[in-house]
Amino acid sequence: MATKLWQKSFVPTDEIDRFTVGRDRELDVLLAESDVLGSLAHTQMLEHIGLLTSDELTAIHRELRSILADIRQGCFKIEDDVEDVHSEVELLLTRRLGDVGKKIHSGRSRNDQVLVDLKLWTRRQLRDIVELVKTLADTLLAQSEAYKDILMPGYTHLQVAMPSSFGLWLGAYAESLADDMLFLQAAYRMVNRNPLGSAAGYGSSFPIDRQMTTALLGFESMNYNVVYAQMGRGKTERNVAFALATVAGTMAKLAFDACLFNSQNFAFLKLPDDCTTGSSIMPHKKNPDVFELIRAKCNKLQALPQQVTLIMNNLPSGYFRDLQIIKEVFLPAFEEMKDCLRMTNYIIERIQPNRQILDDTRYDLMFSVEEVNRRAADGVPFRDAYRQVGLEIEAGAFRPQKEIHHTHAGSIGNLCNSEIAERLNQLLQGFPFQQVEDAEKKLCEG
Ligand code: ARG
């Protein structure tokens, strides 16, 4: 039977153990590195306030760093009779150091341990996401510039509407990602506050130095109020999920556009052959499965805020075991998001626009507004010009003039891609990645 950190005179049955541990033994492994980081900071602080001697701290840090090396090499696992990552790390220390290992839990609880683990882990994941979003936005902007002179039909109601261009289409998604970056930044800043020291959710009678652990872990500041720090569990995940969902919304729309435009009936673009899959029966097929899977995964990701909300909905303040279940939907979401971002970037880099689309007469009518505007510019009142052209179309007499001159900001001839790039760059500067990296490195290397 399992030994628990909290074990006293009775033991839970194996069935109860299986049910309460749930998927922690598998999922908590993802948090292991963060758990050790939290312990490195916490123990350094314990020594500072006199709850560990400097020799004890040296021994603890030596062993924590050796556990960290094992984790990084992929040789860390949570043993079958151990509840979670927090118990496993403490057990390893106690096996190696005896009583000294048992001292590291002074002034904290697994409740603030899991809080800090999730914050450190999510902070790292968000950095990856931000960097991948930036890469994709840069690719979209580069391709937008490369293909800015190739016109394509624009649609409303899926009816041919007005001239658009590849430059406009690709740049739109870059600007969408720039707005999504605002959500990522808000989420990052909320994550980048230190909950450690809130212990079970009500602080501790030890004179712990929370400012010190905040600085050691590279957090921007702490979650001051210990009750609020605990309330951040679930709230943080939900808000991060909203940021992921807004990126996913952009990606799902892009994926659908690309599938549609790649269809033979549209043939606006060709996806690279190596990004399509074949059919077991139809020898001619080149299916856009990659973008279809991106679309589905990104639609699924947009359910994440709701999933988190429903798990934590109506909980009062204070810790509840309900919160453990959030990890099951939250942790795997990041790999999926990153996969989708990498795949999309790969395809967009190789996408091949069709330069001949407008030779097809079915798109002639999208130049009707150009003609109306030309006449209006020559002095015909707009409504009269509109009617004249409308009647010509009805009589089959409309002949399109395909030379177009759109010059206002954000239009075909003036994409403002450098403004969009500038917005992205400015946002990126608002993430303190380097400070965080330096702090973590210092903690890990001593
Ligand atoms: N596995 C737990 C979780 O994710 C860790 C915290 C356990 N705390 C407790 N009071 N049972 O929430």
Side-chain angles (χ1 to χ4, degrees):
M1 182 59 247
T3 28
K4 311 271 180 223
L5 292 177
W6 44 270
Q7 194 162 309
K8 288 159 296 270
S9 60
F10 66 93
V11 286
T13 69
D14 284 348
E15 262 309 276
I16 298 294
D17 179 67
R18 183 192 62 76
F19 190 76
T20 52
V21 170
R23 290 179 59 196
D24 266 10
R25 283 188 195 111
E26 157 209 343
L27 291 172
D28 271 14
V29 172
L30 294 173
L31 302 178
E33 203 172 321
S34 306
D35 198 74
V36 172
L37 267 178
S39 289
L40 282 165
H42 181 71
T43 48
Q44 190 162 329
M45 183 277 291
L46 289 181
E47 190 260 356
H48 180 70
I49 62 166
L51 284 177
L52 288 173
T53 67
S54 84
D55 285 350
E56 285 171 334
L57 180 68
T58 305
I60 289 169
H61 273 201
R62 188 188 64 232
E63 292 311 323
L64 282 173
R65 289 187 180 118
S66 125
I67 294 169
L68 190 60
D70 288 346
I71 296 167
R72 287 179 174 169
Q73 280 168 24
C75 359
F76 174 88
K77 86 183 263 298
I78 299 171
E79 295 159 59
D80 288 344
D81 56 352
V82 178
E83 270 196 309
D84 51 31
V85 66
H86 328 294
S87 313
E88 181 70 37
V89 172
E90 189 173 320
L91 179 72
L92 290 174
L93 277 183
T94 309
R95 271 192 203 136
R96 296 177 192 186
L97 299 171
D99 281 351
V100 178
K102 296 187 209 160
K103 290 191 176 181
I104 70 164
H105 208 58
S106 309
R108 69 176 177 178
S109 151
R110 282 183 299 166
N111 294 355
D112 68 338
Q113 257 187 293
V114 65
L115 273 169
V116 81
D117 291 7
L118 281 167
K119 293 256 200 163
L120 294 173
W121 185 83
T122 306
R123 186 171 72 174
R124 174 68 242 186
Q125 296 297 316
L126 280 176
R127 175 177 179 168
D128 293 348
I129 301 275
V130 165
E131 286 172 351
L132 287 167
V133 166
K134 173 72 166 69
T135 302
L136 175 58
D138 287 346
T139 302
L140 286 161
L141 287 172
Q143 295 291 63
S144 167
E145 282 298 314
Y147 299 127
K148 67 178 175 208
D149 295 326
I150 307 181
L151 294 183
M152 69 192 272
Y155 290 79
T156 69
H157 310 266
L158 267 187
Q159 303 286 306
V160 172
M162 284 187 59
S164 179
S165 70
F166 277 94
L168 212 46
W169 177 63
L170 291 158
Y173 284 99
E175 187 171 353
S176 183
L177 290 175
D179 268 356
D180 299 340
M181 198 68 103
L182 284 168
F183 275 70
L184 287 169
Q185 191 150 89
Y188 189 94
R189 290 197 66 188
M190 203 173 291
V191 167
N192 203 17
R193 302 195 196 289
N194 183 21
L196 191 62
S198 58
Y202 300 93
S204 157
S205 57
F206 292 119
I208 54 173
D209 186 343
R210 297 191 64 210
Q211 200 52 58
M212 181 175 176
T213 56
T214 299
L216 286 171
L217 291 166
F219 283 113
E220 186 186 318
S221 77
M222 66 177 89
N223 289 130
Y224 296 105
N225 183 306
V226 289
V227 172
Y228 178 63
Q230 178 56 56
M231 275 159 61
R233 182 99 186 264
K235 173 172 172 163
T236 307
E237 291 96 312
R238 190 197 57 213
N239 289 336
V240 170
F242 271 118
L244 297 185
T246 189
V247 177
T250 299
M251 307 267 292
K253 199 183 274 289
L254 173 60
F256 199 165
D257 272 359
C259 290
L260 192 69
F261 296 166
N262 176 64
S263 154
Q264 292 87 344
N265 299 70
F266 285 77
F268 296 170
L269 54 83
K270 218 173 98 40
L271 298 175
D273 281 348
D274 65 346
C275 300
T276 63
T277 59
S279 151
S280 60
I281 176 170
M282 298 166 281
H284 64 284
K285 285 290 228 142
K286 286 181 185 167
N287 296 324
D289 292 26
V290 179
F291 265 137
E292 289 171 1
L293 290 168
I294 290 170
R295 182 172 58 199
K297 282 168 187 275
C298 287
N299 281 334
K300 191 178 109 182
L301 276 163
Q302 288 173 81
L304 189 63
Q306 276 70 33
Q307 286 180 292
V308 176
T309 301
L310 290 176
I311 295 168
M312 61 177 235
N313 222 10
N314 303 330
L315 292 181
S317 56
Y319 175 85
F320 296 93
R321 196 67 179 265
D322 307 50
L323 299 167
Q324 174 172 302
I325 301 300
I326 295 174
K327 291 188 290 194
E328 293 179 12
V329 290
F330 185 70
L331 300 186
F334 289 87
E335 244 351 284
E336 285 208 345
M337 180 92 259
K338 289 196 267 183
D339 237 5
C340 290
L341 284 161
R342 282 188 288 253
M343 284 288 157
T344 304
N345 191 59
Y346 182 88
I347 304 185
I348 295 296
E349 276 177 339
R350 290 165 181 76
I351 212 155
Q352 299 155 29
N354 175 359
R355 294 173 186 272
Q356 263 73 53
I357 316 167
L358 299 191
D359 295 350
D360 191 328
T361 53
R362 85 178 87 189
Y363 303 122
D364 283 359
L365 293 183
M366 74 181 190
F367 293 96
S368 66
V369 183
E370 306 299 313
E371 184 55 33
V372 173
N373 290 356
R374 208 169 289 121
R375 293 180 196 190
D378 287 346
V380 184
F382 179 85
R383 198 42 69 207
D384 294 342
Y386 171 95
R387 211 177 130 71
Q388 288 168 8
V389 173
L391 291 172
E392 281 169 31
I393 291 169
E394 273 182 15
F398 175 74
R399 297 287 167 269
Q401 254 238 50
K402 298 187 182 178
E403 274 297 303
I404 63 163
H405 302 284
H406 290 199
T407 55
H408 70 75
S411 66
I412 295 172
N414 183 7
L415 296 172
C416 297
N417 280 339
S418 52
E419 285 82 349
I420 296 170
E422 179 55 24
R423 182 180 291 171
L424 271 159
N425 287 335
Q426 284 211 348
L427 275 162
L428 218 72
Q429 280 165 22
F431 290 93
F433 292 148
Q434 196 55 50
Q435 285 115 280
V436 167
E437 188 180 317
D438 292 346
E440 291 192 357
K441 197 154 175 256
K442 200 162 160 221
L443 203 52
C444 292
E445 290 168 6

